[in-house]
Structures are given as C-alpha cells and as structure tokens.
Amino acid sequence: MPAPYPFSAVVGLADLRLALLLTAVNPAIGGVLVRGEKGTAKSTVVRALAALLPELDAVGGCRFACDPAAPDPECPDGPHTRGAAVIHRRSSLVELPVGATEDRVVGTLDIQRALAEGVKAYEPGLLATAHRGLLYVDEVNLLPDHLVDLLLDAAAMGRAHVERDGVSVKHAARFLLVGTMNPEEGEPRPQLVDRFGLVVSVSSPDEPAPRAEVVRRRLAYDADPDGFAARWAAEDALLARQITGARERLSTVELPDGELDRIARICLAYGVDGLRADIVVARAALTLAAWHGRGVVTVEDVKDAARLALPHRRRRDPLDPPGTDEERLEETLSNEDPDPEPPDGGGVPPGPSEDGETQPPAAPGQPYRPRVLTLPKTGERAHAGRRSLAYARRGRVVGARLPQGAGAPHLPATLRAAAARGSRTVAPADLREAVHVGREANLVLFVVDASGSMAARQRMTTVKAAVLSLLRDAYQRRDRVGMITFRGAGADEVLPPTSSHEVGVQRLARLGTGGRTPLAAGLEAAARTLRAERRRDPRRRPLLVLVTDGRNTAGADPLTVVPSLAGTAAVVVDCEAGPVRLGLARRLATALDASCVPLAALGRAA
Ligand SMILES: [Zn+2]
C-alpha cells in the first residue's frame, strides 16, 4: 500500500487542520464536521490525520483493543490478566460506508449462542474497531438518522452497547469522530450539526498561486507516493510529537475564571442554545493552550476556540439573512477585545499584549506576536475582521447621529434632542441612531527591502522573522496579504494579494537577498498593486507595510514616487541598525505620512 498523503504537505485549509489536530489531542471536544464541495481534499486531510495519531499498546487477542495499562473492566473479551501478551500497533482508521447496516456499526449478537456460550457470541462492529482510533464518515449527511444517533451517542459516552432480547453487551468505544459532507447534497439536520464539537467549512483556494501549489504537490505525490511522503516525514513526525506532548500537558492546563467568564459572555452575546456550546468552547480553549505549549488559557485561545466551535450553533432568527454567522461572531469577539485601540490612536499603539501577560522575548529568527498595525482612520466596514476600526451595522456603540437608515435608535441621544428643543415629547425629527464601531479586515501589502545592506550581519533573519510574525498576525486578523520585494535591478511582486497566507510564508522562506537597493522601484510596484486591488475590491482598505533601512542605492529618488501613494495608510518598519544611524527610513515615513516602528520594537515586549 502506498504511503498516505502527508498531513504537513496539505496547502491551506488551516482551520480544518487545526480542528483535526485539536480533536486528536482531545477527542472529548466531540468530533469535527467538515463541510465542503467535492474536490476540496477533505478526505485526503482526514486520512492524513490518521497517520499522525500515536501508536498504541493493546492487549493481544482482545478484539476491543484494551489498553494493557488500564483494561476495560467490562471488556467482553476480558477480564484480562496482568502479564497478558501486548501488541504494539498503529491507531486504527475506520471508514464507515454510507450503506452500512446497524449490525455492521454496533456488531452482531447471536442470541442462541449468547445464551449458551456467553459474550463470545458477540461479533464486534466498526465502533469496536475504531476504539482508540479515528472513525471517519464521508457524506455523514446521507447516513440514516438512527445510525447517526448511534455514532454520536457512542462518541459522547465513549462506550457502545448492543441489546437484543434482554441480552446486552457493552464495550469501550472512544474514538475521534470526523464527518464530512457536501452541502450541495442536502443540509444535515440541525441536531446533527450541533452535536459535533467543531464545524469547519472548506473550499478550494480562490487564488492561482495556492491552486498551482496544490496541483504541483498532488502530481509529485502521485508520481512517487513513498518518496513524496519521505520528504515530509520529518514535519509529520514533529506534529505527531506535538500531539503526544499536548495530550500529556492537557490535564494540567488551567482555565482562569476570567476566561471562563469570557466564554459565557461570548456564548450569550452570540445567541447559542443551551450550555453545550460553552462546554465545547472551554474544552477547545484548554486544548489550544496545551497545543501551543501553554499552561494557562489565554484570550486568544478562547477566541480561536469560539471560531471553531460557535458559528454553527446560533439560535437562528428566521428574519436573518443567510451566511451572516461568521460576521456576527467576529463582531461578538471584537466587542470582547480587552485592549481596544482608540479610534484616533494612530497606527501603532504601545502597551502590553492583549491578554495582559508579559511576552518573553522570542529567540532570534523565531516568529513572535507583533504589535497590531492598524489604519489610522475609522473606515466603513465591508469585510469583517480583526484589524482596523470601522463603522459597522453592529458592534460597540460609540455615539449617535441623525438617522442614515442603518443603526438602531439611540434612546438617550433622541431624548436629549427632544429636550434641547424644550419638548417633553419626542418628534420624528429628534430621532437619533446609534453609531457602531467594529473591526474590519484589510489588505496588508508588505514591501520588503531584500538588498545587500539589509543582509548584513544576519539582519535578514530578524527581518524575515518580523515579516513572518506579521503574516501570521494578518492570518489571525482575516486580512488579505501581498508581498513585494526589491533588490538589485528592481522590484518583484513575490506574492500577489491573496487570502492564502501560507504561500506568503513559503515565498518568504525562499526569499533571496543581496544587491543594491532600488527603493523607488519597490514603491512603484506597491502603487501598481494597490491600484489593481482597488479596482478589484474598492471597499477593502489597504495598509502598506514598508520594511527597509531607507538606504536607496539604485534607481530614482524614492521621494519622487511618494505622490503615487498619497492617501494610502502606511507603516515603515525601520531596519536601520549599527552605531551610525542616518534616519532615512524615518524621513521616508514622514514623507509618506506613515508611522514608523523600529524593527526591534515590533515585538510587544520590546
Ligand atoms: Zn479487552
């Protein structure tokens, strides 16, 4: 059998991969439902996950895969004696076919033989085979309701049980449940969706670069599966170790009361039914902390958990337009921001990290959590996200205005308007509406100086770590990203604007350095890219992030290009180092009306 496609070689699908890894660490999260059309590699990713699950010890001869260290006291093949033979094997991957019968799933019990011979007359089903492994149901929405209920009950209880004519058999059935479905083939019952812990929607990349990368890797895999898998083996082994480490750490992770309160507030504000959502978010947040190697749940863990666990759980208002769940969740989460930047606070607010914890300085070359770079002016929101402030239909109320048709009435302002006329009754002209501010996603265009002066004394390592950190940050804030580099003879659009941050990370890793510094060419390329993007999506506001030491050694004077960037919000990351400083990047920032952040101050702890 050829090696399965490696998990680490999957392009994009970041939410899906994270959801699968989390449930591999902690199956109690309650399984993952993957929604997506055909051809989105859902099955490939799920099968790839099975290969990452840790190998296990099982009691030899036990058809229920008892753990020798803690055999199931009710095991139909038990009781197992100490010192029984132990086999070491991979975790199982069980694929449940849509046409499976109930007997096939829970096992068959021969009543005549059971009465004569006891439980040996029980033939285990797929639930037993899946114990301590992964149970994968493709097209789970097409599975008959009674089978779905069986699966979900077993997954929730960690046990399966069969009963025939008063004879019953019980056995452990703890498995990681992953279902996939194509929404085009019918929506599943809401009860079904609600019982999965995490729900992820996937789609094929909508950009040429990641699409090409998917195809490139698929062709390489098909041509030589084993060779391809070998090239990714180290990455996969790292993930497998990370799963094992997180499993060990999980029971020691703390969930502070403040974060538990936050979970409750988010679930209430988002409008979920019952308490199940709160529990799933709490479990997912604990697991995220364990995954990231932390001992305490942070605000970021809670928000990321909410994104995976909540969008499908909202009590739907029949008047709601469809497809607003994600946007609404982002608003709920951005209102939870404990450290909101003031609306006119400029580009780079100083201060502690969002969760108030002090961040240890990152090792050289390692990514870190960067300062939040934002647009200085409040926009009109077109794309919900987590970066810049923007007026929105919902969100934090920041004031009142004459009605423009969008906002809810602002009662105090309306009463004040009536009072200002000296009236005790409200007339239509007194009506004021609330002004809401939320957060929007932006286009973050990186323009990175890769010339020789930047490459000196390993500075490029620091610069790459900074850009990598900003790319990750942009992913978490739901931004589009693009990247232009300049060195030698000119500028190069290494990453046309895209929502696939991973391609950016890959391009960054391969970035060549050296040569002279054609700064003006870099800025010209940026202006071209921004013009094209403005035509494509006029309502998405861009943020230009120029990473340079400001030394211009080739081509035109960069100041001659500045007018073509007029009105563009920009931040200059000043990479100048050494004892003699020319302040060129700072001067360029002033000309661009941009804020200027020294490279060393980009990490918040700096
Ligand atoms: Zn057993």
Side-chain angles (χ1 to χ4, degrees):
M1 221 174 71
Y5 194 88
F7 193 84
S8 341
V10 174
V11 177
L13 306 179
D15 284 351
L16 172 58
R17 283 185 292 153
L18 181 61
L20 291 174
L21 290 168
L22 293 180
T23 194
V25 172
N26 183 8
I29 289 173
V32 181
L33 176 63
V34 191
R35 300 165 50 100
E37 291 163 14
K38 283 220 172 301
T40 40
K42 303 187 292 283
S43 304
T44 305
V45 187
V46 175
R47 293 191 184 112
L49 176 72
L52 293 187
L53 297 179
E55 297 189 342
L56 49 87
D57 287 332
V59 174
C62 172
R63 296 171 297 165
F64 303 86
C66 274
D67 181 352
D72 177 8
E74 291 185 282
C75 176
D77 282 353
H80 301 298
T81 50
R82 273 188 188 282
V86 170
I87 54 167
H88 188 76
R89 63 166 176 82
R90 305 200 61 86
S91 295
S92 45
L93 164 64
V94 174
E95 301 199 22
L96 189 130
V98 171
T101 60
E102 184 170 339
D103 277 357
R104 180 103 177 79
V105 175
V106 297
T108 52
L109 188 58
D110 182 333
I111 297 299
Q112 297 304 324
R113 277 182 62 210
L115 293 174
E117 304 168 29
V119 288
K120 287 290 180 195
Y122 174 61
E123 194 57 48
L126 294 174
L127 291 182
T129 319
H131 178 46
R132 305 173 72 194
L134 194 165
L135 182 65
Y136 171 36
V137 193
D138 193 14
E139 304 194 283
V140 66
N141 48 330
L142 305 183
L143 208 62
D145 288 354
H146 70 281
L147 282 187
V148 172
D149 288 337
L150 267 174
L151 284 186
L152 292 164
D153 284 340
M157 308 291 296
R159 301 193 72 73
H161 107 264
V162 198
E163 200 163 320
R164 292 274 184 283
D165 302 322
V167 180
S168 79
V169 175
K170 293 186 188 132
H171 64 80
R174 277 190 314 279
F175 50 83
L176 206 156
L177 179 64
V178 182
T180 54
M181 57 160 288
N182 180 352
E184 289 179 330
E185 287 168 0
E187 285 293 327
R189 293 175 295 152
Q191 299 91 315
L192 166 70
V193 177
D194 182 54
R195 288 189 60 181
F196 277 90
L198 310 179
V199 175
V200 184
S201 292
V202 297
S203 53
S204 349
D206 56 358
E207 306 283 341
R211 290 180 84 94
E213 191 62 30
V214 170
V215 173
R216 189 175 298 123
R217 292 187 189 178
R218 191 76 224 183
L219 294 176
Y221 171 76
D222 289 344
D224 176 14
D226 292 336
F228 185 80
R231 286 200 290 285
W232 292 89
E235 274 93 339
D236 265 16
L238 194 67
L239 283 175
R241 280 201 298 281
Q242 209 173 338
I243 290 174
T244 312
R247 280 185 178 181
E248 284 162 5
R249 201 177 295 114
L250 181 60
S251 62
T252 65
V253 177
E254 278 176 49
L255 177 59
D257 284 349
E259 294 311 320
L260 191 53
D261 285 348
R262 188 191 311 279
I263 291 171
R265 281 200 307 274
I266 289 172
C267 289
L268 278 172
Y270 186 62
V272 297
D273 277 324
L275 276 167
R276 205 179 125 68
D278 302 53
I279 294 167
V280 175
V281 175
R283 281 193 181 134
L286 283 160
T287 313
L288 271 162
W291 176 253
H292 291 303
R294 284 194 290 269
V296 182
V297 170
T298 66
V299 55
E300 289 304 321
D301 295 330
V302 170
K303 290 182 172 185
D304 290 342
R307 275 192 195 88
L308 294 171
L310 287 189
H312 57 292
R313 293 191 197 278
R314 197 157 68 82
R315 205 181 309 122
R316 295 303 299 251
D317 181 337
L319 297 178
D320 271 352
T324 56
D325 286 3
E326 280 215 346
E327 187 182 338
R328 191 179 174 119
L329 178 61
E330 285 305 330
E331 279 164 4
T332 308
L333 294 179
S334 62
N335 292 343
E336 274 296 315
D337 202 335
D339 179 26
E341 287 81 28
D344 53 356
V348 275
S353 61
E354 278 171 30
D355 42 17
E357 67 175 4
T358 48
Q359 194 181 323
Q366 292 302 304
Y368 46 85
R369 183 187 294 176
R371 287 188 181 193
V372 192
L373 307 178
T374 59
L375 272 77
K377 294 199 180 85
T378 306
E380 290 291 335
R381 185 165 73 183
H383 302 280
R386 306 177 60 203
R387 185 171 297 278
S388 302
L389 290 170
Y391 296 113
R393 274 182 298 134
R394 284 187 292 262
R396 195 155 47 89
V397 175
V398 293
R401 63 182 172 196
L402 287 167
Q404 297 178 7
H410 191 291
L411 199 56
T414 303
L415 295 176
R416 276 198 301 274
R421 284 191 301 115
S423 169
R424 288 167 173 239
T425 54
V426 172
D430 302 324
L431 193 64
R432 299 292 183 273
E433 69 174 19
V435 179
H436 299 275
V437 165
R439 290 199 181 267
E440 65 175 5
N442 298 112
L443 162 66
V444 182
L445 181 62
F446 297 97
V447 181
V448 181
D449 183 345
S451 66
S453 70
M454 295 283 290
R457 291 189 295 273
Q458 270 92 52
R459 189 136 48 101
M460 209 59 208
T461 310
T462 315
V463 169
K464 281 186 179 180
V467 178
L468 181 61
S469 307
L470 292 167
L471 266 172
R472 285 192 175 182
D473 181 64
Y475 167 70
Q476 286 171 350
R477 296 180 190 281
R478 300 290 191 262
D479 298 311
R480 270 172 86 80
V481 291
M483 200 187 317
I484 289 163
T485 61
F486 56 91
R487 68 188 188 102
D492 189 7
E493 189 182 49
V494 293
L495 181 71
T498 172
S499 47
S500 174
H501 302 71
E502 294 213 351
V503 178
V505 172
Q506 288 159 9
R507 299 281 157 85
L508 187 65
R510 288 204 296 265
L511 187 63
T513 55
R516 309 218 299 167
T517 316
L519 189 43
L523 294 176
E524 269 166 12
R528 265 197 308 280
T529 298
L530 292 174
R531 273 197 301 276
E533 279 295 297
R534 195 155 42 238
R535 279 195 297 275
R536 213 188 61 83
D537 184 357
R539 300 184 62 201
R540 183 184 291 270
R541 296 195 298 158
L543 177 66
L544 180 75
V545 178
L546 175 62
V547 184
T548 182
D549 61 7
R551 285 180 200 230
N552 180 58
T553 59
D557 179 347
L559 293 182
T560 60
V561 189
V562 165
S564 67
L565 288 165
T568 303
V571 177
V572 176
V573 177
D574 183 355
C575 300
E576 185 170 43
V580 182
R581 307 218 177 177
L582 303 173
L584 295 169
R586 186 162 288 279
R587 266 163 52 194
L588 187 59
T590 306
L592 285 165
D593 197 16
S595 43
C596 186
V597 193
L599 179 61
L602 203 58
R604 292 183 165 206

